[in-house]
Amino acid sequence: MLSQKTIDIVKSTAPILETEGKKITTCFYKMMFDAHPELLNIFNHVNQKQGRQQTALANTVYAAAKYIDQLEVIVPVVTQIAHKHRGLGVKPEHYPIVGEFLLKAIKEVLGDAATDEIINAWAEAYGVIAQAFIDVEKGMYDTAANQENGWSDFKEFTVVRKEKESNVITSFYLKPKDGSGVTNYEPGQYLTIQVKIPGEEYTLNRQYSLSCAPGHDYYRISVKKEKDNEPNGKVSNYLHDHVNEGDTIEVSAPSGNFTLNREESAPVAFISGGVGITPMMSMLEALVNEGSKREIHFIHAARNEEFHAFKETVNAAVSKLENGHSYYGYDKPLANDGNHHFEGYLSKAFLQNMITNDTITYICGPVPFLKNVVQILAELGVKEENIRYEFFGPAMNLNAEEKITA
Ligand SMILES: Cc1cc2nc3c(=O)[nH]c(=O)nc-3n(C[C@H](O)[C@H](O)[C@H](O)COP(=O)(O)OP(=O)(O)OC[C@H]3O[C@@H](n4cnc5c(N)ncnc54)[C@H](O)[C@@H]3O)c2cc1C
Ligand code: HEM
């Protein structure tokens, strides 16, 4: 239990740290990785370079500090992060390391302003925040390990099938190498995969949404080849170019809280851009499998037909539904593209034909796509709790002016 004095110090200094937040976390990461380079086997180096991870961690520590005497307020945020941590193998013994270097970084950046009293108060507060994470993550590790066919940490899977879905997206079907079955999971959850790429000093971890419903004897992920930037994406290119049927990759059990709520019966819209279609494929197939009578709108935006993955699969799935509709549109259409329902970006004028204020929406795509769609849905009167979205990178505040490189 924190004393009132500690709570007061932490709350009153949180805004100062927030102002210096990014500086502190940047300094923190540098010092921590110098002392513990082995942690580079867990962290995504590109997120570090692009600054998104620093912002995410800083925001969370200061948000937690503001609510240090009512941590229940930040439970949804803790849960989302804890899913990511569990998938990556973050363990209780890592927390003191993060705590030590966070405090060192606060001292370094604040200088004399960081009195012993302030540092001690933050050390105590960090302990409380860390414990909240450790407790939630323990529950998640137990669930992952104790479910049927479950395991904790990473396990070897064999690629049993590799299938091209579009110009840039390829699916990988995965089965446990030890011959066991796969676990059940919630539609919308993701796998964390770990690869050791020849020439890379550290292992690389990435999350990929499961792109089929639970109930098969395999997992399926569908990966976009990230090849339009310099340097190209490491893991996606490695998977496309070097991982083939019969090869092995390390996988941790499904995690994530962007999931289809199957208790609900209100109309639902799945809205995706580009490779953001993957969690929607799992949700759509799950609704087909249960013979759902819900009104279901599947809306997908792609560059053009060549980039449009799963077109036939979605059409076939929707045709099995009593109340299913699918729509797609292209922002850079080609002269010979087949039928499509809109051109350019998804607009309010288009969405208002199928979205009412009781529609439940699931959205996934690049950050600018998310920003646009979330704003339109809010304008159409969709309730905040019914606007549910997934980031294919560190979560961020869609209203904040942050550097975006999705
Ligand atoms: C919950 C979740 C689910 C996801 N589901 C999917 C999915 O279903 N399918 C899917 O394809 N992806 C998915 N992702 C994204 C995926 O995890 C990877 O981020 C993606 O594959 C890119 O990884 P990479 O190693 O290829 O690229 P990285 O090497 O991590 O690089 C990321 C991007 O930054 C660019 N880049 C790298 N270095 C620099 C630099 N110095 N300056 C500028 N740009 C740079 C790269 O070209 C690339 O486009 C998901 C992510 C999350 C968090
Ligand atoms: C109380 C302490 C911590 C807080 C508040 C915190 C917060 C966060 C946040 C906000 C994210 C981004 C989530 C997202 O992707 O949406 C994150 C991701 C992550 N965290 Fe933590 N974290 C803490 C402790 C730790 C520890 C102890 C480790 C392990 C050493 C760790 C490793 C990671 C990794 C590897 C990621 C994924 C980032 C990436 O690879 O880009 N975190 N954490």
Side-chain angles (χ1 to χ4, degrees), residues 248-304:
T248 302
I249 53 176
E250 302 266 339
V251 176
S252 81
S255 49
N257 62 344
F258 174 70
T259 54
L260 178 69
N261 182 340
R262 300 188 197 217
E263 311 280 293
E264 294 171 328
S265 56
V268 59
F270 300 113
I271 309 175
S272 59
V275 75
I277 195 170
T278 51
M280 310 303 172
M281 294 305 296
S282 182
M283 295 190 195
L284 178 67
E285 191 190 332
L287 288 176
V288 171
N289 290 349
E290 68 186 42
S292 175
K293 297 189 183 343
R294 290 175 83 170
E295 184 163 349
I296 299 167
H297 298 280
F298 193 100
I299 305 153
H300 180 61
R303 200 175 301 175
N304 52 51

CSV table of all heavy atoms in Angstrom, one decimal, residues 248-304:
chain,number,residue,atom,x,y,z
A,248,THR,N,10.6,-24.6,-40.1
A,248,THR,CA,10.1,-24.5,-38.7
A,248,THR,C,10.2,-23.0,-38.3
A,248,THR,O,11.2,-22.3,-38.6
A,248,THR,CB,11.1,-25.3,-37.8
A,248,THR,OG1,11.0,-26.6,-38.3
A,248,THR,CG2,10.6,-25.2,-36.4
A,249,ILE,N,9.2,-22.5,-37.6
A,249,ILE,CA,9.3,-21.2,-36.9
A,249,ILE,C,8.8,-21.4,-35.5
A,249,ILE,O,8.1,-22.3,-35.2
A,249,ILE,CB,8.6,-20.1,-37.6
A,249,ILE,CG1,7.1,-20.4,-37.8
A,249,ILE,CG2,9.2,-19.7,-38.9
A,249,ILE,CD1,6.3,-19.3,-38.4
A,250,GLU,N,9.3,-20.5,-34.6
A,250,GLU,CA,8.9,-20.6,-33.2
A,250,GLU,C,7.6,-19.7,-33.0
A,250,GLU,O,7.6,-18.6,-33.5
A,250,GLU,CB,10.0,-20.0,-32.3
A,250,GLU,CG,11.3,-20.7,-32.5
A,250,GLU,CD,11.5,-21.7,-31.4
A,250,GLU,OE1,10.8,-21.7,-30.4
A,250,GLU,OE2,12.3,-22.6,-31.6
A,251,VAL,N,6.7,-20.2,-32.3
A,251,VAL,CA,5.4,-19.5,-32.1
A,251,VAL,C,5.0,-19.5,-30.7
A,251,VAL,O,5.2,-20.5,-30.0
A,251,VAL,CB,4.3,-20.3,-33.0
A,251,VAL,CG1,2.9,-19.6,-32.8
A,251,VAL,CG2,4.7,-20.3,-34.5
A,252,SER,N,4.4,-18.4,-30.2
A,252,SER,CA,3.9,-18.4,-28.8
A,252,SER,C,2.3,-18.4,-29.0
A,252,SER,O,1.8,-18.0,-30.0
A,252,SER,CB,4.4,-17.3,-28.0
A,252,SER,OG,3.7,-16.1,-28.2
A,253,ALA,N,1.7,-18.9,-27.9
A,253,ALA,CA,0.2,-19.2,-28.0
A,253,ALA,C,-0.5,-17.9,-28.3
A,253,ALA,O,-0.1,-16.8,-28.0
A,253,ALA,CB,-0.2,-19.8,-26.7
A,254,PRO,N,-1.7,-18.1,-28.9
A,254,PRO,CA,-2.5,-16.9,-29.3
A,254,PRO,C,-2.8,-15.9,-28.2
A,254,PRO,O,-3.0,-16.3,-27.0
A,254,PRO,CB,-3.8,-17.5,-29.8
A,254,PRO,CG,-3.5,-18.9,-30.2
A,254,PRO,CD,-2.4,-19.3,-29.3
A,255,SER,N,-2.7,-14.6,-28.5
A,255,SER,CA,-3.0,-13.6,-27.5
A,255,SER,C,-3.7,-12.4,-28.1
A,255,SER,O,-3.8,-12.4,-29.3
A,255,SER,CB,-1.7,-13.2,-26.7
A,255,SER,OG,-0.7,-12.9,-27.6
A,256,GLY,N,-4.1,-11.5,-27.3
A,256,GLY,CA,-4.7,-10.3,-27.8
A,256,GLY,C,-6.2,-10.1,-27.4
A,256,GLY,O,-6.9,-11.1,-27.2
A,257,ASN,N,-6.6,-8.9,-27.2
A,257,ASN,CA,-8.0,-8.7,-26.7
A,257,ASN,C,-8.8,-7.9,-27.7
A,257,ASN,O,-9.9,-7.4,-27.4
A,257,ASN,CB,-8.0,-8.0,-25.3
A,257,ASN,CG,-7.4,-6.6,-25.4
A,257,ASN,OD1,-6.6,-6.3,-26.4
A,257,ASN,ND2,-7.6,-5.8,-24.4
A,258,PHE,N,-8.4,-7.9,-29.0
A,258,PHE,CA,-9.3,-7.4,-30.1
A,258,PHE,C,-10.0,-8.6,-30.6
A,258,PHE,O,-9.5,-9.3,-31.5
A,258,PHE,CB,-8.4,-6.8,-31.1
A,258,PHE,CG,-9.1,-6.3,-32.4
A,258,PHE,CD1,-10.0,-5.3,-32.3
A,258,PHE,CD2,-9.0,-7.0,-33.6
A,258,PHE,CE1,-10.7,-4.9,-33.5
A,258,PHE,CE2,-9.6,-6.6,-34.7
A,258,PHE,CZ,-10.5,-5.5,-34.7
A,259,THR,N,-11.1,-8.9,-30.0
A,259,THR,CA,-11.7,-10.2,-30.3
A,259,THR,C,-13.2,-10.0,-30.5
A,259,THR,O,-13.8,-9.1,-30.0
A,259,THR,CB,-11.5,-11.2,-29.1
A,259,THR,OG1,-12.0,-10.6,-27.9
A,259,THR,CG2,-10.1,-11.6,-28.9
A,260,LEU,N,-13.8,-10.9,-31.3
A,260,LEU,CA,-15.2,-10.9,-31.6
A,260,LEU,C,-16.0,-11.3,-30.3
A,260,LEU,O,-15.7,-12.4,-29.8
A,260,LEU,CB,-15.5,-12.0,-32.7
A,260,LEU,CG,-16.9,-12.1,-33.1
A,260,LEU,CD1,-17.4,-10.9,-33.8
A,260,LEU,CD2,-17.1,-13.3,-34.0
A,261,ASN,N,-16.9,-10.4,-29.9
A,261,ASN,CA,-17.8,-10.8,-28.8
A,261,ASN,C,-19.0,-11.6,-29.4
A,261,ASN,O,-19.8,-11.1,-30.0
A,261,ASN,CB,-18.3,-9.5,-28.1
A,261,ASN,CG,-19.1,-9.8,-26.9
A,261,ASN,OD1,-19.7,-10.9,-26.8
A,261,ASN,ND2,-19.2,-8.9,-26.0
A,262,ARG,N,-19.0,-12.9,-29.1
A,262,ARG,CA,-20.0,-13.8,-29.7
A,262,ARG,C,-21.3,-13.7,-28.9
A,262,ARG,O,-22.3,-14.4,-29.3
A,262,ARG,CB,-19.5,-15.2,-29.7
A,262,ARG,CG,-18.2,-15.3,-30.5
A,262,ARG,CD,-17.9,-16.8,-30.6
A,262,ARG,NE,-16.6,-17.1,-31.0
A,262,ARG,CZ,-16.3,-18.1,-31.8
A,262,ARG,NH1,-17.3,-18.9,-32.2
A,262,ARG,NH2,-15.1,-18.4,-32.1
A,263,GLU,N,-21.3,-13.0,-27.8
A,263,GLU,CA,-22.6,-12.9,-27.0
A,263,GLU,C,-23.5,-11.9,-27.7
A,263,GLU,O,-24.7,-11.9,-27.5
A,263,GLU,CB,-22.3,-12.4,-25.6
A,263,GLU,CG,-21.2,-13.2,-24.9
A,263,GLU,CD,-21.7,-14.5,-24.3
A,263,GLU,OE1,-22.5,-14.4,-23.4
A,263,GLU,OE2,-21.3,-15.5,-24.9
A,264,GLU,N,-22.9,-11.0,-28.5
A,264,GLU,CA,-23.7,-9.9,-29.0
A,264,GLU,C,-24.5,-10.3,-30.3
A,264,GLU,O,-24.1,-11.2,-31.0
A,264,GLU,CB,-22.8,-8.7,-29.4
A,264,GLU,CG,-22.2,-8.1,-28.1
A,264,GLU,CD,-21.1,-7.1,-28.4
A,264,GLU,OE1,-20.4,-7.2,-29.5
A,264,GLU,OE2,-20.9,-6.2,-27.6
A,265,SER,N,-25.7,-9.7,-30.5
A,265,SER,CA,-26.4,-10.0,-31.7
A,265,SER,C,-26.7,-8.8,-32.6
A,265,SER,O,-27.4,-8.9,-33.6
A,265,SER,CB,-27.7,-10.7,-31.3
A,265,SER,OG,-28.4,-9.8,-30.4
A,266,ALA,N,-26.3,-7.6,-32.1
A,266,ALA,CA,-26.5,-6.4,-32.9
A,266,ALA,C,-25.8,-6.5,-34.3
A,266,ALA,O,-24.9,-7.3,-34.4
A,266,ALA,CB,-26.0,-5.2,-32.1
A,267,PRO,N,-26.2,-5.7,-35.2
A,267,PRO,CA,-25.5,-5.7,-36.5
A,267,PRO,C,-24.0,-5.4,-36.3
A,267,PRO,O,-23.7,-4.7,-35.4
A,267,PRO,CB,-26.2,-4.5,-37.3
A,267,PRO,CG,-27.5,-4.3,-36.6
A,267,PRO,CD,-27.3,-4.7,-35.2
A,268,VAL,N,-23.2,-6.0,-37.2
A,268,VAL,CA,-21.8,-5.9,-37.0
A,268,VAL,C,-21.2,-5.5,-38.4
A,268,VAL,O,-21.6,-6.0,-39.4
A,268,VAL,CB,-21.2,-7.1,-36.4
A,268,VAL,CG1,-21.4,-8.4,-37.3
A,268,VAL,CG2,-19.7,-7.0,-36.2
A,269,ALA,N,-20.2,-4.6,-38.3
A,269,ALA,CA,-19.4,-4.3,-39.6
A,269,ALA,C,-18.0,-4.5,-39.3
A,269,ALA,O,-17.4,-4.1,-38.3
A,269,ALA,CB,-19.7,-2.8,-39.9
A,270,PHE,N,-17.4,-5.3,-40.3
A,270,PHE,CA,-15.9,-5.5,-40.2
A,270,PHE,C,-15.3,-4.6,-41.3
A,270,PHE,O,-15.7,-4.7,-42.5
A,270,PHE,CB,-15.6,-6.9,-40.6
A,270,PHE,CG,-16.2,-7.9,-39.6
A,270,PHE,CD1,-17.2,-8.8,-40.0
A,270,PHE,CD2,-15.8,-7.9,-38.3
A,270,PHE,CE1,-17.8,-9.7,-39.1
A,270,PHE,CE2,-16.4,-8.8,-37.4
A,270,PHE,CZ,-17.4,-9.7,-37.8
A,271,ILE,N,-14.5,-3.7,-40.9
A,271,ILE,CA,-13.9,-2.6,-41.8
A,271,ILE,C,-12.4,-2.7,-41.8
A,271,ILE,O,-11.8,-2.5,-40.8
A,271,ILE,CB,-14.4,-1.2,-41.4
A,271,ILE,CG1,-15.9,-1.2,-41.1
A,271,ILE,CG2,-14.0,-0.2,-42.4
A,271,ILE,CD1,-16.4,0.1,-40.6
A,272,SER,N,-11.9,-3.1,-43.0
A,272,SER,CA,-10.4,-3.3,-43.0
A,272,SER,C,-9.8,-2.6,-44.2
A,272,SER,O,-10.4,-2.4,-45.2
A,272,SER,CB,-10.1,-4.8,-43.0
A,272,SER,OG,-10.6,-5.4,-44.2
A,273,GLY,N,-8.5,-2.2,-44.0
A,273,GLY,CA,-7.7,-1.7,-45.1
A,273,GLY,C,-6.5,-2.5,-45.2
A,273,GLY,O,-5.8,-2.9,-44.2
A,274,GLY,N,-6.1,-2.9,-46.5
A,274,GLY,CA,-4.9,-3.7,-46.7
A,274,GLY,C,-4.9,-5.0,-45.9
A,274,GLY,O,-5.8,-5.7,-45.8
A,275,VAL,N,-3.7,-5.2,-45.3
A,275,VAL,CA,-3.5,-6.5,-44.6
A,275,VAL,C,-4.3,-6.5,-43.3
A,275,VAL,O,-4.4,-7.6,-42.7
A,275,VAL,CB,-2.0,-6.8,-44.4
A,275,VAL,CG1,-1.4,-5.9,-43.3
A,275,VAL,CG2,-1.8,-8.2,-44.1
A,276,GLY,N,-4.9,-5.4,-42.9
A,276,GLY,CA,-5.8,-5.3,-41.8
A,276,GLY,C,-7.0,-6.3,-41.9
A,276,GLY,O,-7.8,-6.4,-41.0
A,277,ILE,N,-7.1,-6.9,-43.1
A,277,ILE,CA,-8.2,-7.8,-43.3
A,277,ILE,C,-8.1,-9.1,-42.5
A,277,ILE,O,-9.0,-9.8,-42.3
A,277,ILE,CB,-8.3,-8.2,-44.8
A,277,ILE,CG1,-9.6,-8.9,-45.2
A,277,ILE,CG2,-7.1,-9.0,-45.3
A,277,ILE,CD1,-9.9,-9.0,-46.7
A,278,THR,N,-6.8,-9.4,-42.0
A,278,THR,CA,-6.6,-10.7,-41.4
A,278,THR,C,-7.5,-11.1,-40.2
A,278,THR,O,-8.1,-12.1,-40.2
A,278,THR,CB,-5.1,-10.9,-41.1
A,278,THR,OG1,-4.6,-9.8,-40.4
A,278,THR,CG2,-4.3,-11.1,-42.4
A,279,PRO,N,-7.5,-10.2,-39.2
A,279,PRO,CA,-8.4,-10.6,-38.0
A,279,PRO,C,-9.8,-10.7,-38.4
A,279,PRO,O,-10.6,-11.4,-37.8
A,279,PRO,CB,-8.1,-9.5,-37.0
A,279,PRO,CG,-7.6,-8.3,-37.8
A,279,PRO,CD,-6.9,-8.9,-38.9
A,280,MET,N,-10.2,-9.9,-39.5
A,280,MET,CA,-11.6,-9.9,-39.9
A,280,MET,C,-12.0,-11.2,-40.6
A,280,MET,O,-13.1,-11.7,-40.5
A,280,MET,CB,-11.9,-8.8,-40.9
A,280,MET,CG,-11.4,-7.4,-40.5
A,280,MET,SD,-12.2,-7.0,-39.0
A,280,MET,CE,-11.2,-5.5,-38.6
A,281,MET,N,-11.0,-11.9,-41.2
A,281,MET,CA,-11.2,-13.2,-41.8
A,281,MET,C,-11.6,-14.2,-40.8
A,281,MET,O,-12.5,-15.0,-41.0
A,281,MET,CB,-10.0,-13.6,-42.6
A,281,MET,CG,-9.6,-12.8,-43.8
A,281,MET,SD,-10.9,-12.6,-45.0
A,281,MET,CE,-11.1,-14.3,-45.5
A,282,SER,N,-10.9,-14.1,-39.7
A,282,SER,CA,-11.2,-15.1,-38.6
A,282,SER,C,-12.5,-14.8,-38.0
A,282,SER,O,-13.3,-15.8,-37.7
A,282,SER,CB,-10.1,-14.9,-37.5
A,282,SER,OG,-10.2,-15.7,-36.5
A,283,MET,N,-12.9,-13.5,-37.8
A,283,MET,CA,-14.2,-13.2,-37.2
A,283,MET,C,-15.3,-13.6,-38.1
A,283,MET,O,-16.3,-14.2,-37.7
A,283,MET,CB,-14.2,-11.7,-36.9
A,283,MET,CG,-13.3,-11.3,-35.8
A,283,MET,SD,-13.6,-9.6,-35.3
A,283,MET,CE,-12.1,-9.2,-34.5
A,284,LEU,N,-15.1,-13.3,-39.4
A,284,LEU,CA,-16.2,-13.6,-40.4
A,284,LEU,C,-16.4,-15.1,-40.5
A,284,LEU,O,-17.6,-15.6,-40.4
A,284,LEU,CB,-15.8,-13.1,-41.8
A,284,LEU,CG,-16.8,-13.4,-42.9
A,284,LEU,CD1,-18.1,-12.6,-42.7
A,284,LEU,CD2,-16.2,-13.0,-44.3
A,285,GLU,N,-15.3,-15.9,-40.6
A,285,GLU,CA,-15.5,-17.3,-40.7
A,285,GLU,C,-16.1,-17.9,-39.4
A,285,GLU,O,-16.9,-18.9,-39.5
A,285,GLU,CB,-14.1,-18.0,-40.9
A,285,GLU,CG,-14.2,-19.4,-41.3
A,285,GLU,CD,-12.8,-20.1,-41.3
A,285,GLU,OE1,-11.8,-19.5,-41.5
A,285,GLU,OE2,-12.8,-21.4,-41.1
A,286,ALA,N,-15.8,-17.3,-38.3
A,286,ALA,CA,-16.4,-17.8,-37.0
A,286,ALA,C,-17.9,-17.6,-37.0
A,286,ALA,O,-18.7,-18.5,-36.6
A,286,ALA,CB,-15.8,-17.1,-35.8
A,287,LEU,N,-18.3,-16.5,-37.5
A,287,LEU,CA,-19.8,-16.2,-37.6
A,287,LEU,C,-20.5,-17.1,-38.6
A,287,LEU,O,-21.6,-17.6,-38.4
A,287,LEU,CB,-20.0,-14.7,-37.9
A,287,LEU,CG,-19.7,-13.7,-36.8
A,287,LEU,CD1,-19.9,-12.3,-37.3
A,287,LEU,CD2,-20.6,-14.0,-35.6
A,288,VAL,N,-19.8,-17.4,-39.7
A,288,VAL,CA,-20.4,-18.4,-40.7
A,288,VAL,C,-20.5,-19.7,-40.0
A,288,VAL,O,-21.6,-20.4,-40.1
A,288,VAL,CB,-19.5,-18.5,-42.0
A,288,VAL,CG1,-19.9,-19.6,-42.9
A,288,VAL,CG2,-19.5,-17.1,-42.7
A,289,ASN,N,-19.4,-20.2,-39.3
A,289,ASN,CA,-19.4,-21.5,-38.7
A,289,ASN,C,-20.6,-21.7,-37.7
A,289,ASN,O,-21.1,-22.8,-37.5
A,289,ASN,CB,-18.1,-21.8,-38.0
A,289,ASN,CG,-17.0,-22.0,-39.1
A,289,ASN,OD1,-17.3,-22.1,-40.3
A,289,ASN,ND2,-15.7,-22.0,-38.6
A,290,GLU,N,-20.9,-20.6,-37.0
A,290,GLU,CA,-22.0,-20.7,-36.0
A,290,GLU,C,-23.3,-20.4,-36.6
A,290,GLU,O,-24.3,-20.4,-35.9
A,290,GLU,CB,-21.7,-19.9,-34.8
A,290,GLU,CG,-21.8,-18.4,-35.0
A,290,GLU,CD,-21.3,-17.6,-33.8
A,290,GLU,OE1,-20.3,-17.9,-33.1
A,290,GLU,OE2,-22.0,-16.6,-33.5
A,291,GLY,N,-23.4,-20.2,-37.9
A,291,GLY,CA,-24.7,-20.0,-38.6
A,291,GLY,C,-25.4,-18.7,-38.1
A,291,GLY,O,-26.6,-18.6,-37.9
A,292,SER,N,-24.5,-17.7,-37.9
A,292,SER,CA,-25.0,-16.4,-37.4
A,292,SER,C,-26.1,-15.8,-38.2
A,292,SER,O,-26.1,-15.8,-39.5
A,292,SER,CB,-23.9,-15.4,-37.3
A,292,SER,OG,-24.4,-14.2,-36.9
A,293,LYS,N,-27.2,-15.3,-37.6
A,293,LYS,CA,-28.2,-14.6,-38.3
A,293,LYS,C,-28.1,-13.1,-38.2
A,293,LYS,O,-28.9,-12.3,-38.6
A,293,LYS,CB,-29.6,-15.0,-37.7
A,293,LYS,CG,-29.8,-16.5,-37.9
A,293,LYS,CD,-31.3,-16.8,-37.5
A,293,LYS,CE,-31.6,-18.3,-37.6
A,293,LYS,NZ,-30.7,-19.2,-38.4
A,294,ARG,N,-26.9,-12.6,-37.6
A,294,ARG,CA,-26.7,-11.2,-37.4
A,294,ARG,C,-26.6,-10.5,-38.8
A,294,ARG,O,-26.3,-11.1,-39.8
A,294,ARG,CB,-25.4,-10.9,-36.7
A,294,ARG,CG,-25.4,-11.3,-35.3
A,294,ARG,CD,-24.0,-11.2,-34.7
A,294,ARG,NE,-23.7,-9.8,-34.3
A,294,ARG,CZ,-22.7,-9.5,-33.6
A,294,ARG,NH1,-21.8,-10.4,-33.2
A,294,ARG,NH2,-22.5,-8.2,-33.2
A,295,GLU,N,-26.9,-9.2,-38.8
A,295,GLU,CA,-26.7,-8.5,-40.0
A,295,GLU,C,-25.2,-8.2,-40.0
A,295,GLU,O,-24.6,-7.6,-39.1
A,295,GLU,CB,-27.5,-7.2,-40.0
A,295,GLU,CG,-27.3,-6.4,-41.3
A,295,GLU,CD,-28.3,-5.4,-41.5
A,295,GLU,OE1,-29.3,-5.3,-40.7
A,295,GLU,OE2,-28.1,-4.6,-42.4
A,296,ILE,N,-24.5,-8.6,-41.1
A,296,ILE,CA,-23.0,-8.5,-41.1
A,296,ILE,C,-22.6,-7.8,-42.4
A,296,ILE,O,-22.9,-8.2,-43.5
A,296,ILE,CB,-22.4,-10.0,-41.1
A,296,ILE,CG1,-22.8,-10.7,-39.8
A,296,ILE,CG2,-20.9,-9.9,-41.3
A,296,ILE,CD1,-22.6,-12.1,-39.8
A,297,HIS,N,-21.8,-6.8,-42.2
A,297,HIS,CA,-21.3,-6.0,-43.4
A,297,HIS,C,-19.8,-6.2,-43.3
A,297,HIS,O,-19.1,-5.9,-42.3
A,297,HIS,CB,-21.6,-4.5,-43.3
A,297,HIS,CG,-23.1,-4.3,-43.3
A,297,HIS,ND1,-23.8,-4.2,-44.5
A,297,HIS,CD2,-24.0,-4.0,-42.3
A,297,HIS,CE1,-25.0,-4.0,-44.2
A,297,HIS,NE2,-25.2,-3.9,-42.9
A,298,PHE,N,-19.2,-6.7,-44.4
A,298,PHE,CA,-17.8,-6.9,-44.5
A,298,PHE,C,-17.3,-5.8,-45.5
A,298,PHE,O,-17.6,-5.9,-46.7
A,298,PHE,CB,-17.4,-8.3,-45.0
A,298,PHE,CG,-16.0,-8.7,-44.8
A,298,PHE,CD1,-15.6,-9.4,-43.7
A,298,PHE,CD2,-15.0,-8.2,-45.7
A,298,PHE,CE1,-14.2,-9.8,-43.5
A,298,PHE,CE2,-13.7,-8.6,-45.6
A,298,PHE,CZ,-13.3,-9.3,-44.5
A,299,ILE,N,-16.5,-4.9,-45.1
A,299,ILE,CA,-16.1,-3.8,-45.9
A,299,ILE,C,-14.6,-3.7,-46.0
A,299,ILE,O,-13.9,-3.7,-45.0
A,299,ILE,CB,-16.6,-2.4,-45.4
A,299,ILE,CG1,-18.1,-2.5,-45.2
A,299,ILE,CG2,-16.2,-1.2,-46.3
A,299,ILE,CD1,-18.6,-1.6,-44.1
A,300,HIS,N,-14.0,-3.8,-47.2
A,300,HIS,CA,-12.6,-3.9,-47.3
A,300,HIS,C,-12.0,-2.9,-48.4
A,300,HIS,O,-12.6,-2.7,-49.5
A,300,HIS,CB,-12.1,-5.3,-47.7
A,300,HIS,CG,-10.7,-5.4,-47.9
A,300,HIS,ND1,-9.8,-5.2,-46.8
A,300,HIS,CD2,-9.9,-5.8,-48.9
A,300,HIS,CE1,-8.6,-5.4,-47.2
A,300,HIS,NE2,-8.6,-5.7,-48.5
A,301,ALA,N,-11.0,-2.2,-48.0
A,301,ALA,CA,-10.3,-1.2,-48.9
A,301,ALA,C,-8.9,-1.8,-49.3
A,301,ALA,O,-8.2,-2.1,-48.4
A,301,ALA,CB,-10.2,0.1,-48.2
A,302,ALA,N,-8.7,-1.8,-50.5
A,302,ALA,CA,-7.3,-2.3,-51.0
A,302,ALA,C,-6.9,-1.3,-52.1
A,302,ALA,O,-7.6,-0.4,-52.5
A,302,ALA,CB,-7.4,-3.7,-51.6
A,303,ARG,N,-5.6,-1.4,-52.4
A,303,ARG,CA,-5.1,-0.5,-53.5
A,303,ARG,C,-5.8,-0.7,-54.8
A,303,ARG,O,-6.3,0.2,-55.4
A,303,ARG,CB,-3.6,-0.7,-53.6
A,303,ARG,CG,-2.9,0.5,-54.2
A,303,ARG,CD,-1.4,0.3,-54.3
A,303,ARG,NE,-0.8,0.1,-52.9
A,303,ARG,CZ,0.5,-0.2,-52.7
A,303,ARG,NH1,1.3,-0.3,-53.7
A,303,ARG,NH2,0.9,-0.3,-51.5
A,304,ASN,N,-5.9,-2.0,-55.2
A,304,ASN,CA,-6.6,-2.4,-56.4
A,304,ASN,C,-6.7,-3.9,-56.4
A,304,ASN,O,-6.4,-4.5,-55.4
A,304,ASN,CB,-5.9,-1.9,-57.7
A,304,ASN,CG,-4.5,-2.3,-57.8
A,304,ASN,OD1,-4.1,-3.4,-57.6
A,304,ASN,ND2,-3.6,-1.3,-58.0
